[in-house]
Amino acid sequence: MSYSIAIDGPAGAGKSTIAKLIAKKKGYIYIDTGAMYRAMALYFIEAGIGAEEQDKISAAVQDANVTITYENGEQNVWLNGRNVNGLIRTEKVSMMTSLTSANKAVREKLVELQRALAQKENVVMDGRDIGTCVLPNANVKVYLTASSHVRALRRYHELEQKGESCDLVEIEKDIIQRDKQDMSREISPLKQAEDAVPIDSSDMTIEEVADAIIALCK
């Protein structure tokens, strides 16, 4: 019987970092949903389908199979049996992902694939609607958040380390706007599942958050 951990929350709450650490500590598979959307976008590009051709995208998505495996701690993303790790991080794929991820058929197909993976493997999955929509029967559900100021500071330091100039006030404004958009979107809005455990990471270290979530696993 597989075991699943669902982590939802707003942008900048540290969901992916925490999810990866938990997966490593527990020996579970971290489901990188973003990488799965990227692989799907690559499929459309290679099929010669434009982002504006929504009907063709909706039809073509049925023939695409995307899954994730781990070998020696490294994530491998597979598209129709082919490892596409080295192909899904280009700017072209990023643009296509942004334009196709909102397509209802794309979303439904990937949710189906994500659920299938969770049925046969022990997984940790993070996002905006994992506990409410993708894995409503997850063994553990967490709503991970932090104040908008703390999240902005984290993003600010991240950009600073990359040598990029940034403005803390503007970053926080963007985060607050992103929260509003995520919470009010028509399809699967960001919200805390009724049975999710809320964790505010504002004053916690990454290790403390990961250990708090692992303590919920039975």
Side-chain angles (χ1 to χ4, degrees):
M1 188 92 174
S2 60
Y3 199 94
S4 55
I5 301 172
I7 303 174
D8 289 313
K15 299 184 301 295
S16 297
T17 301
I18 299 300
K20 288 173 185 173
L21 181 56
I22 292 170
K24 185 177 181 180
K25 287 186 173 220
K26 296 283 288 180
Y28 289 4
I29 288 180
Y30 166 62
I31 306 297
D32 186 342
T33 55
M36 293 180 78
Y37 276 95
R38 284 175 172 272
M40 193 65 81
L42 175 66
Y43 175 72
F44 300 137
I45 291 170
E46 293 183 340
I49 300 172
E52 72 286 351
E53 298 178 287
Q54 293 296 313
D55 289 342
K56 286 187 178 179
I57 286 172
S58 298
V61 75
Q62 303 310 321
D63 297 321
N65 183 56
V66 179
T67 192
I68 289 176
T69 61
Y70 276 81
E71 290 173 35
N72 300 319
E74 182 183 348
Q75 172 181 279
N76 292 299
V77 184
W78 302 84
L79 171 63
N80 290 340
R82 176 171 57 119
N83 188 319
V84 292
N85 271 19
L87 303 173
I88 61 172
R89 301 295 174 184
T90 66
E91 187 58 32
K92 188 175 182 180
V93 169
S94 294
M95 287 293 293
M96 190 65 159
T97 303
S98 178
L99 294 167
T100 58
S101 59
N103 181 287
K104 189 168 181 282
V106 170
R107 175 170 179 75
E108 287 175 350
K109 178 66 174 181
L110 281 170
V111 167
E112 174 192 318
L113 292 171
Q114 288 155 11
R115 285 175 178 163
L117 197 48
Q119 282 182 342
K120 63 181 182 179
E121 302 282 355
N122 295 324
V123 304
V124 185
M125 200 180 301
D126 70 281
R128 305 286 189 278
D129 63 344
I130 307 303
T132 56
C133 177
V134 182
L135 298 178
N137 298 315
N139 299 90
V140 171
K141 295 182 188 178
V142 169
Y143 189 81
L144 182 65
T145 189
S147 69
S148 59
H149 183 67
V150 166
R151 288 185 281 142
L153 271 174
R154 289 172 181 169
R155 181 63 177 154
Y156 177 84
H157 292 315
E158 190 180 297
L159 292 171
E160 206 176 35
Q161 285 177 351
K162 292 179 181 177
E164 297 180 30
S165 59
C166 47
D167 182 283
L168 182 59
V169 174
E170 286 303 314
I171 292 172
E172 186 167 1
K173 274 185 188 175
D174 288 345
I175 282 175
I176 291 169
Q177 181 59 33
R178 174 84 175 271
D179 287 350
K180 285 181 181 175
Q181 289 174 351
D182 285 344
M183 290 174 181
S184 61
R185 68 186 185 188
E186 190 175 338
I187 299 173
S188 300
L190 167 66
K191 63 180 179 180
Q192 181 178 324
E194 289 183 8
D195 53 348
V197 177
I199 294 179
D200 189 324
S201 69
S202 298
D203 299 312
M204 298 172 73
T205 66
I206 291 169
E207 286 280 346
E208 286 172 340
V209 177
D211 289 343
I213 295 173
I214 289 172
L216 297 171
C217 300
K218 297 172 183 175

